[in-house]
Amino acid sequence: MTAIEQTEARPRGTRLPRRARRNQLLGAAQEVFVAQGYHSAAMDDIAERAGVSKPVLYQHFPGKLDLYLALLDQHCESLLHAVRAAIASTSDNKLRVAATMDAYFAYVGDEGGAFRLVFESDLTNEPAVRDRVDKVSLDCAKAVCEVIAEDTDLPPEESMLLAVGLCGMAQITARYWLGSGQKLPRDAAAKLVSSLSWRGIAGFPMHGATPQK
């Protein structure tokens, strides 16, 4: 059962272990922040959604920003983990590109809408939020960059630029796919973008090799 499902199933006043309560509150907060945005969301709304009193909510999170940042940290880590897992899933670079693109599409397509907190936040003018969003984007690109740098003769700065381009393509096209009504199945959409990405990155030969087709 997910944190959001626990939120719906738990009656008000039920005692939970601290970690389980925190997860429940984060699940409720995610629903409220995704639906309303940071500025329109209220701690009262989150407490009500979680089925707890506001003092209980404040026992875990001193303020709305603290709650938002905890949720953002959770979902930034989730994205980075997914990208790293995709890269580690195979030593075949063509399959790595496909797995990485699919990781972004799966992340954006998740029904909880957590990607909106990372890529479409209405709080990007807050330095703590901006820093986290920039960091996860950079860390994902660094993970891709390591593979490009290891397998080609490109210098670090060129490898990093290509990695940023690949990750940017992945998240922007995934968000477009979702926002346009998912007219293609997720797998088909990710495969299409993967094909475009591979045709580009395969043009940079591995150490001394000819370009891959």
Coordinates of all heavy atoms in Angstrom, one line a residue, residues 1 3-16 21 24-25 47-53 56:
M1 N 0.8 -1.2 0.0 CA 0.0 0.0 0.0 C 0.9 1.2 0.0 O 1.8 1.3 0.8 CB -0.9 0.0 1.2 CG -1.9 1.2 1.3 SD -2.9 1.1 2.8 CE -4.1 -0.2 2.3
A3 N 1.9 5.4 0.3 CA 1.6 6.4 1.3 C 0.3 7.1 1.1 O -0.5 7.4 2.0 CB 2.7 7.4 1.4
I4 N -0.1 7.3 -0.2 CA -1.3 8.0 -0.5 C -2.5 7.1 -0.2 O -3.5 7.5 0.3 CB -1.3 8.4 -2.0 CG1 -0.3 9.5 -2.3 CG2 -2.7 8.8 -2.5 CD1 -0.2 9.9 -3.7
E5 N -2.4 5.8 -0.5 CA -3.4 4.9 -0.2 C -3.6 4.7 1.3 O -4.7 4.6 1.8 CB -3.1 3.5 -0.8 CG -3.3 3.4 -2.3 CD -2.7 2.2 -2.9 OE1 -1.9 1.5 -2.2 OE2 -3.1 1.9 -4.0
Q6 N -2.5 4.8 2.1 CA -2.6 4.8 3.5 C -3.3 6.0 4.0 O -4.1 6.0 5.0 CB -1.2 4.7 4.1 CG -0.5 3.4 4.0 CD 0.9 3.5 4.5 OE1 1.5 4.5 4.7 NE2 1.5 2.3 4.6
T7 N -3.1 7.2 3.3 CA -3.8 8.4 3.7 C -5.3 8.2 3.6 O -6.0 8.7 4.5 CB -3.3 9.5 2.8 OG1 -1.9 9.7 3.0 CG2 -4.0 10.8 3.1
E8 N -5.7 7.6 2.5 CA -7.1 7.4 2.3 C -7.7 6.4 3.3 O -8.9 6.5 3.7 CB -7.4 6.9 0.9 CG -7.0 8.0 -0.2 CD -7.0 7.5 -1.6 OE1 -7.1 6.3 -1.7 OE2 -7.0 8.3 -2.5
A9 N -6.9 5.3 3.6 CA -7.5 4.2 4.4 C -7.5 4.5 5.9 O -8.2 3.9 6.6 CB -6.7 3.0 4.1
R10 N -6.6 5.3 6.4 CA -6.4 5.5 7.8 C -7.4 6.4 8.4 O -7.5 7.5 8.0 CB -5.0 6.2 8.0 CG -3.9 5.5 8.7 CD -3.8 4.3 9.4 NE -2.7 3.5 8.9 CZ -2.3 2.4 9.4 NH1 -2.9 1.9 10.5 NH2 -1.3 1.8 8.9
P11 N -8.1 6.0 9.4 CA -9.1 6.9 10.1 C -8.3 7.9 11.0 O -7.2 7.6 11.4 CB -9.9 6.0 11.0 CG -9.1 4.8 11.2 CD -8.2 4.7 10.0
R12 N -8.9 9.1 11.1 CA -8.3 10.1 12.0 C -8.0 9.6 13.4 O -8.9 8.9 14.0 CB -9.2 11.4 12.0 CG -8.6 12.5 12.9 CD -9.6 13.7 12.9 NE -9.6 14.4 11.7 CZ -8.8 15.4 11.4 NH1 -7.8 15.8 12.2 NH2 -8.9 16.0 10.2
G13 N -6.8 9.9 13.9 CA -6.5 9.6 15.3 C -5.8 8.2 15.4 O -5.3 7.9 16.5
T14 N -5.7 7.4 14.4 CA -4.9 6.2 14.5 C -3.5 6.5 14.7 O -2.8 7.3 14.1 CB -5.1 5.4 13.2 OG1 -6.5 5.1 13.0 CG2 -4.3 4.1 13.3
R15 N -2.9 5.8 15.7 CA -1.5 6.0 16.1 C -0.6 5.2 15.1 O -0.9 4.0 14.9 CB -1.2 5.6 17.5 CG -1.8 6.6 18.5 CD -1.3 6.3 19.9 NE -1.8 7.3 20.9 CZ -1.2 8.4 21.1 NH1 -0.1 8.7 20.5 NH2 -1.7 9.3 22.0
L16 N 0.4 5.8 14.6 CA 1.3 5.1 13.7 C 2.8 5.3 14.2 O 3.1 6.3 14.9 CB 1.3 5.7 12.3 CG 0.0 5.5 11.5 CD1 0.1 6.3 10.2 CD2 -0.2 4.0 11.2
R21 N 4.1 7.4 10.0 CA 3.3 8.7 10.0 C 3.9 9.7 9.1 O 3.2 10.4 8.3 CB 3.2 9.3 11.4 CG 2.5 10.6 11.5 CD 1.0 10.4 11.2 NE 0.3 9.9 12.4 CZ -0.9 9.4 12.3 NH1 -1.6 9.5 11.2 NH2 -1.5 8.9 13.4
Q24 N 3.0 8.8 5.6 CA 1.6 9.1 5.4 C 1.4 10.6 5.1 O 0.7 11.0 4.2 CB 0.8 8.7 6.6 CG -0.7 9.0 6.4 CD -1.4 9.1 7.7 OE1 -0.8 9.5 8.7 NE2 -2.7 8.8 7.7
L25 N 2.1 11.5 5.9 CA 2.0 12.9 5.7 C 2.6 13.3 4.4 O 2.1 14.2 3.7 CB 2.7 13.6 6.9 CG 2.1 13.4 8.3 CD1 3.0 14.0 9.3 CD2 0.7 13.9 8.3
A47 N -3.1 18.5 6.5 CA -3.5 17.8 7.7 C -4.9 17.1 7.5 O -5.0 15.9 7.9 CB -3.6 18.7 8.9
E48 N -5.8 17.8 6.9 CA -7.1 17.2 6.7 C -7.0 16.0 5.8 O -7.7 15.0 6.0 CB -8.1 18.2 6.1 CG -9.5 17.7 5.9 CD -10.4 18.8 5.4 OE1 -10.0 20.0 5.3 OE2 -11.6 18.4 5.1
R49 N -6.2 16.1 4.7 CA -6.1 15.0 3.7 C -5.5 13.8 4.4 O -5.8 12.7 4.1 CB -5.2 15.5 2.6 CG -5.1 14.4 1.5 CD -6.4 14.3 0.7 NE -6.4 13.2 -0.2 CZ -6.7 12.0 0.0 NH1 -7.1 11.7 1.3 NH2 -6.7 11.1 -0.9
A50 N -4.5 14.0 5.4 CA -3.9 13.0 6.0 C -4.7 12.4 7.2 O -4.4 11.3 7.7 CB -2.5 13.4 6.6
G51 N -5.8 13.1 7.6 CA -6.6 12.6 8.7 C -6.0 12.8 10.0 O -6.2 12.0 10.9
V52 N -5.1 13.9 10.2 CA -4.5 14.2 11.4 C -4.8 15.7 11.8 O -5.3 16.5 11.0 CB -3.0 14.0 11.4 CG1 -2.6 12.6 11.0 CG2 -2.3 15.0 10.4
S53 N -4.5 16.0 13.1 CA -4.6 17.4 13.5 C -3.4 18.2 13.0 O -2.3 17.6 12.7 CB -4.7 17.5 15.0 OG -3.5 17.0 15.6
V56 N -0.1 17.6 14.9 CA 0.6 16.4 14.6 C 1.4 16.6 13.3 O 2.6 16.2 13.3 CB -0.4 15.2 14.3 CG1 0.3 14.0 13.7 CG2 -1.1 14.8 15.6

